Amino acid sequence: MNKHKAIAPSEVNDLSLDNDPRDKFNEKDVVESHTSADGEIGHNFVVSETPAPKKVKRHRRELNPEEDEFAIAREKIKGTPEDDTIVKMRDVRVSFKIGSLERVIINHLNLDIKRGEILGLVGESGSGKTTIGRAIIRINNVSGGEILYNGVKISGKIPKKRERLLKTKIQMIFQDPGDSLNDRANIDYIVSEGLRAFHLYKDDKDRVNKVVEMMEKVGLRPEYLSRYPHEFSGGQRQRIGIARCMIMDPEFVVADEPISALDVSIRAQVL
């Protein structure tokens, strides 16, 4: 039989993700309720001394510059007219299926985006501007044609290694920050998520410095890092989304109405 010990409610103070006493529970753990003299209901966590399985830490593999497929491809076309174009879209078709019905949103799209160029897409609401951007970063699947980045195909079925590398090259600022930010994560985690995923920092101090510097560039205070998205206004959440994108130092940015939610006074600073 397993021996049990009770943990009083006063001992359960720290419910952070890193030190949560509930992480020690297993399927046989129970919670006992009790009522104090003044009528308040409390709980005793009864924890089995049999330890729960340890969590396995995943070690993220650092990117090797020598394996940068896009940089190698660019070296091959350097000095040629092909080097002027960073993104090519050839006869691209994007459609969505609802049961047996197929609705085509983008059809026969041919577009060249030059290196260092700022290209704006203009159209009425629902014309497919956002769909094009989401197709470039592989959120929306392409049902026809192909998209090339530095002459390398990035649409359709591609190797996982290429898909992972692409995330360091292309980033997107989403139109609605409310839907694109994780409400359960604090701002430090949200902004530095890309840095952590690809280990783009020397140590934790370097990571924090990069996050603070980017927060200041978009007009947000460093003390906001411990807060959560719901504590900010729409314009502030938009700036958090911009910081999350730009901290990766991407070569290509898809900006979906990035300053529409910002005050006029802050737009010039962000741009």
Side-chain angles (χ1 to χ4, degrees), residues 34-268:
H34 63 84
T35 305
S36 62
D38 54 2
E40 291 186 359
I41 297 176
H43 301 283
N44 281 338
F45 296 96
V46 181
V47 185
S48 169
E49 289 186 353
T50 305
K54 290 185 178 180
K55 294 181 179 179
V56 179
K57 256 190 174 181
R58 285 192 312 168
H59 296 280
R60 296 183 175 94
R61 182 173 175 268
E62 296 184 28
L63 295 173
N64 185 353
E66 295 180 358
E67 298 177 357
D68 190 335
E69 188 177 359
F70 299 105
I72 294 171
R74 191 189 172 188
E75 283 296 324
K76 292 179 180 178
I77 61 173
K78 219 166 189 178
T80 67
E82 293 291 321
D83 188 34
D84 295 336
T85 305
I86 188 169
V87 172
K88 288 183 181 181
M89 305 183 78
R90 291 290 175 264
D91 202 27
V92 170
R93 183 176 188 268
V94 181
S95 61
F96 299 96
K97 284 189 176 181
I98 305 174
S100 59
L101 298 176
E102 183 181 29
R103 184 180 179 187
V104 179
I105 307 299
I106 306 294
N107 201 16
H108 301 300
L109 174 65
N110 292 280
L111 182 66
D112 286 353
I113 303 176
K114 304 295 182 182
R115 204 176 300 278
E117 176 184 46
I118 299 176
L119 177 69
L121 295 178
V122 181
E124 61 184 7
S125 180
S127 61
K129 303 184 298 295
T130 299
T131 302
I132 294 172
R134 291 165 70 93
I136 293 175
I137 64 170
R138 295 180 57 81
I139 291 180
N140 290 341
N141 293 324
V142 173
S143 55
E146 63 178 8
I147 303 175
L148 306 176
Y149 181 80
N150 277 350
V152 180
K153 183 181 177 182
I154 60 172
S155 59
K157 190 175 181 180
I158 62 175
K160 288 185 178 180
K161 190 175 179 181
R162 184 187 303 173
E163 186 173 9
R164 182 173 185 266
L165 180 61
L166 185 66
K167 294 174 183 177
T168 67
K169 304 292 183 179
I170 302 179
Q171 286 288 308
M172 183 171 183
I173 302 171
F174 295 92
Q175 182 178 357
D176 186 357
D179 289 340
S180 63
L181 300 180
N182 184 357
D183 284 332
R184 301 184 66 181
N186 62 26
I187 306 308
D188 180 25
Y189 181 90
I190 291 173
V191 175
S192 65
E193 188 173 6
L195 297 180
R196 293 177 185 272
F198 299 98
H199 203 76
L200 302 176
Y201 57 95
K202 298 176 183 176
D203 48 37
D204 199 57
K205 182 179 179 181
D206 182 46
R207 180 192 64 79
V208 172
N209 289 338
K210 287 183 176 182
V211 173
V212 169
E213 182 183 357
M214 186 54 63
M215 290 285 284
E216 290 175 344
K217 284 183 177 179
V218 297
L220 294 175
R221 298 175 182 175
E223 52 263 35
Y224 291 166
L225 291 177
S226 60
R227 298 187 185 180
Y228 291 80
H230 70 271
E231 300 179 67
F232 296 90
S233 66
Q236 288 175 320
R237 287 199 295 266
Q238 183 73 319
R239 282 183 268 170
I240 293 168
I242 294 172
R244 177 184 59 182
C245 166
M246 300 309 297
I247 201 170
M248 294 289 290
D249 193 22
E251 295 178 355
F252 186 85
V253 176
V254 179
D256 188 5
E257 298 189 23
I259 60 172
S260 59
L262 302 183
D263 295 332
V264 177
S265 58
I266 200 70
R267 287 184 181 181

